Amino acid sequence: MAIVFLSAMLQPLTGGVSQVRVAGRTIRTVINHLEERFPGMKERLLQDGDLRPDIAVAIDGELALDGLAESVGEESEVHFIPPISGG
Amino acid sequence: MAEATAEYKVIGTRPIRPDGADKVTGRAIYGGDMRLTGMLHGKVLRSPHAHARIKSINTAKAEALPGVKAVVTAQDFPVAEDRIANLGEMAVNVKLLSNNVIAVDKVLYKGHALAAVAATSSHIAEEALGLIEVEYEVLPAVLNVLDAMKEEAPLLHEHLTTTELGQKTDKRSNIANHMRFTLGDPAQGFRDADIVIERDFDTATVHQGYIEPHNATALWNEDGHLYLWTSTQGAFVVQRQTAEILGLSVSKVSVTPCEIGGGFGGKIAVYLEPVAAVLSRKSGRPVKLIMSRIEEFEATGPTPASHIKVKMGVKKDGQIVAAEASLMYEAGAFPGSPVGAGCMCIFSPYAIPNMQVDGYDVVVNKPKTAAYRAPGATNAAFASETVIDELAEKLGLDPLDMRRLNGAKEGDRRVDGPTFPRIGYMETVHAALEHEHYASPLHGPNRGRGVASGFWFNVGFQSTVVINVNADGTVSLVEGSTDIGGTRASIAMQAAETLGIPYEDVRPTVAGTDGIGFTDVTGGSRTTFATGYAAHEASLDVLRQMKERLARRWDSEVEKEFEGQAERASVQITPDDVLYASGVFKCAKDPSKTMTFKDVSAQMARMGGPITGRATSQPRGIGGAFATHIVDVEVDPETGKVAILRYTAIQDVGRAIHPSYAEGQIQGGAVQGIGWALNEEYVYNTTGNMANTSFLDYRMPTTLDLPMIDTVLVEVPNPGHPYGVRGVGEVPIVPPVAAVANAIYRATGKRMTQAPMSPGYILSKLNE
């Protein structure tokens, strides 16, 4: 199961839990399982059924490009982080 | 000058830029050169107040002035939706974006647009602005992040409430967002530390200082289609923003990017385009708007002023065991400062087991901030790198050895969570330690040497490239990335390398939204990486098609040779049997069969028709960038003026496609950082009027102020790119402010905690 890192900005929903092992082969199912364990997570991460525009997902250090369909490996690290742009 | 390596024939050489002749002869078409039949000239009325309620706007007298063809206010714009939209490289609240382009009920900074005029001449338009009557209720302004965060501060937005650690609250405040990143156990880390240092830092508002001002020419055609010509870092981002603000489908907006005279992040957000469009719709004629330098300073997006607290703890052996920071960034009049990036960068050059970083995005009565090279990272590095320098001094360590002890490597974790892939930070530190500059003695009074490091993520995003093969064996490359810093060359070079043809045989063209597939902005140090990736893939597509055609041709020749013979089946030629190297195709099964790239190009018409290679990219494998800078300064103790004696910028560039342009980016970034360190700042009076709205008074460094910036290109190839490219354009602005501060400390014995370190500030420190 993938390890999801729950940042300080998600911890109000997790009661301070900062890491959790979650089943799921895509980000969509990972978020679904997070929601089961930490209600409110979907609302926090999704907008109109997709990832919020102001949230990015990093899987094993790489930014996810396929949104909710992005694949998650059995031992992957998943992070929800602010999106990066640049000048 | 241009030298090929054994590995590559084109990459690593220094050819002439394709757009060079047009630019040095003045023939390149910039936005200011636009001339359309019947074109009108527009001017924008801007607020004289930093904060005021608009009670009424009367445009009757302006409309009656002969020569005036249209006057517009917010009433002429659709009511924008209050929602977050992904507009290319950024997520933006559409309503706030629109309200920045044209004020609705309040003006939130001096220079905020609230009406515009189109007339037959710019003089008439200017005169008409003076005839627009605006009644204001002037409100108290707040001009500093710490003041704006106070409970009793005047509120800019009546409905803005703080988002606290990701949760919406009902607390009305100028603090739009409070974010936090935590790693390990910072409290325990500080308990374990032998030395703890805590310092506060302030940085001023700084402008990108691009030479060419913002401009836009619009033609809203009678058929409802909107055409725009503009100076931008990304045509598609202008298209999306303008369409959102005007309530149009993107397919109704065509954007042609003109040549661009600098951007550095400041030419991503739109300011003039929607206004020119609405003026055009109302007047029925094309309208051109160009900003003055005063408007540039007062009404575009500078980089934020900030207040930063940093606390770091270290063991006696030099290991940093804990770090904390609070970054308070001015967003300007609307939320959206780069404080998140600042938080994620501030300690990234170091492997620190316990960290906590808090970020606050705070609105103030100043122009909405915009990106500026590595947005948010320079402010942050000024604070952290100054404290690192002080820790090294307390430990009796060389400041570069301090970095060698603690520097981040592959597998180390950033405060925001992800671990680093292959990076070259340590290589930059080693290169600095071994550099002749660092080893050379620095004699004389009031002189000092400083070092600092910096990190920037770089980004990938989306790019499209099309390569059309010409009958003479050259190719035309069409890309959507506007060329700010030599990317026509760097993209063409990667195509030439992959195609195995000379660089001069690739002619690159930057197309607008009607001429190429979606391409994100030239920004985020992404273009040579991501558009180069697309160029490589499009080149492979060309070669794939050529191989398929050659396989068919050669197979048919074999068919003829073996006509009626049983052996035929064993000598079928497939595309996999067609080999390609150095511009020549060869048949693996029959060495006598060869054809050059030029031959295939010449015979395309008889080999299946035109050949066009296409590719889109949204690459993974982004390679972060690190830099380490060394600077020698001399401080005049009587005037406080700082002279830069010598400067060396060392950077991991992955692979330098065109070393001269990589060096140029590094030199430019370092110079802008030195300006930020020593002189540049928005000076405001108490009512929010900027006092230095010209390049005479807003002091940017010139060639007369600085020595040659020496560069060292460290090449740790990015494994995520076919040619090892990392972005180079942003990270060179990250270390300079801290490096200069540390050098001034060595020269004066005084720690710098404010940027700019102007003569007045330094004198005040010397007189403490």
Side-chain angles (χ1 to χ4, degrees), chain A residues 4 8 13 20-21 28 33 39 51 53-54 60 64 68 71-72 79 83:
Chain A
V4 180
L13 295 173
V20 63
R21 284 223 174 242
R28 186 187 309 278
H33 287 128
L51 276 171
D54 54 353
D60 299 326
L68 295 177
S71 297
V72 178
H79 299 266

Side-chain angles (χ1 to χ4, degrees), chain A residues 5 7-10 12-13 44 47 52-54 58 60-66 70 77 79 81-82 84-87, chain B residues 84 89 91 165-166 179-181 233 264-265 268 344 371 375 413 416-418 456-457 459 461 523-524 618 620-621 730:
Chain A
F5 286 69
S7 71
M9 287 175 285
L10 295 174
L13 295 173
R44 175 74 184 83
Q47 175 182 298
R52 288 172 57 95
D54 54 353
D60 299 326
E62 288 274 3
L63 287 176
L65 302 176
D66 291 338
E70 184 81 19
E77 274 191 13
H79 299 266
I81 61 175
I84 302 298
S85 53
Chain B
I84 304 290
E89 84 147 15
L165 304 184
M179 60 190 73
R180 175 175 291 163
F181 304 90
Q233 291 177 233
F264 312 109
I268 298 172
M344 294 153 78
R413 197 175 291 284
D416 53 308
W456 182 249
F457 309 90
V459 300
F461 295 163
Q618 192 179 19
R620 302 170 196 269
E730 294 180 288

Side-chain angles (χ1 to χ4, degrees), chain B residues 335-573:
Chain B
S337 76
V339 69
C343 291
M344 294 153 78
C345 284
I346 186 163
F347 298 127
S348 283
Y350 305 101
I352 304 173
N354 306 295
M355 292 185 271
Q356 179 163 305
V357 181
D358 285 87
Y360 298 86
D361 184 42
V362 183
V363 294
V364 296
N365 290 114
K366 293 182 180 178
K368 166 73 176 73
T369 56
Y372 182 18
R373 272 187 152 137
T378 302
N379 315 42
F382 171 42
S384 56
E385 291 293 297
T386 303
V387 172
I388 292 271
D389 196 73
E390 192 173 346
L391 284 170
E393 183 194 25
K394 288 207 181 304
L395 290 163
L397 280 173
D398 177 285
L400 285 178
D401 280 333
M402 181 77 179
R403 289 165 173 84
R404 186 163 55 178
L405 273 173
N406 293 282
K409 298 179 280 292
E410 182 175 0
D412 287 330
R413 197 175 291 284
R414 301 191 319 233
V415 71
D416 53 308
T419 54
F420 281 115
R422 179 74 174 97
I423 51 174
Y425 175 48
M426 295 309 292
E427 284 81 353
T428 71
V429 173
H430 290 141
L433 276 162
E434 292 165 7
H435 197 276
E436 179 272 332
H437 181 172
Y438 202 61
S440 66
L442 179 62
H443 298 301
N446 308 311
R447 292 182 167 188
R449 175 170 296 154
V451 299
S453 297
F455 163 71
W456 182 249
F457 309 90
N458 299 333
V459 300
F461 295 163
Q462 305 163 79
S463 291
T464 306
V465 168
V466 172
I467 295 177
N468 299 305
V469 179
N470 302 316
D472 62 359
T474 65
V475 300
S476 299
L477 184 154
V478 186
E479 57 181 304
S481 294
T482 52
D483 184 357
I484 307 179
T487 51
R488 280 187 181 91
S490 67
I491 304 308
M493 290 172 75
Q494 292 178 71
E497 188 71 53
T498 306
L499 289 170
I501 63 177
Y503 161 77
E504 293 75 14
D505 286 355
V506 181
R507 181 172 179 76
T509 299
V510 177
T513 54
D514 290 341
I516 189 72
F518 185 87
T519 299
D520 273 304
V521 296
T522 297
S525 304
R526 64 172 287 282
T527 305
T528 298
F529 169 72
T531 309
Y533 208 122
H536 170 70
E537 295 285 332
S539 301
L540 292 176
D541 190 28
V542 167
L543 296 179
R544 178 188 58 76
Q545 294 175 57
M546 288 187 166
K547 286 179 177 180
E548 286 173 357
R549 294 176 189 206
L550 279 170
R552 286 202 297 273
R553 168 177 281 208
W554 287 337
D555 197 54
S556 71
E557 290 170 2
V558 170
E559 180 75 18
K560 189 178 176 187
E561 291 166 22
F562 284 80
E563 199 168 0
Q565 297 180 36
E567 296 90 336
R568 170 67 179 99
S570 65
V571 284
Q572 280 187 342
I573 294 174

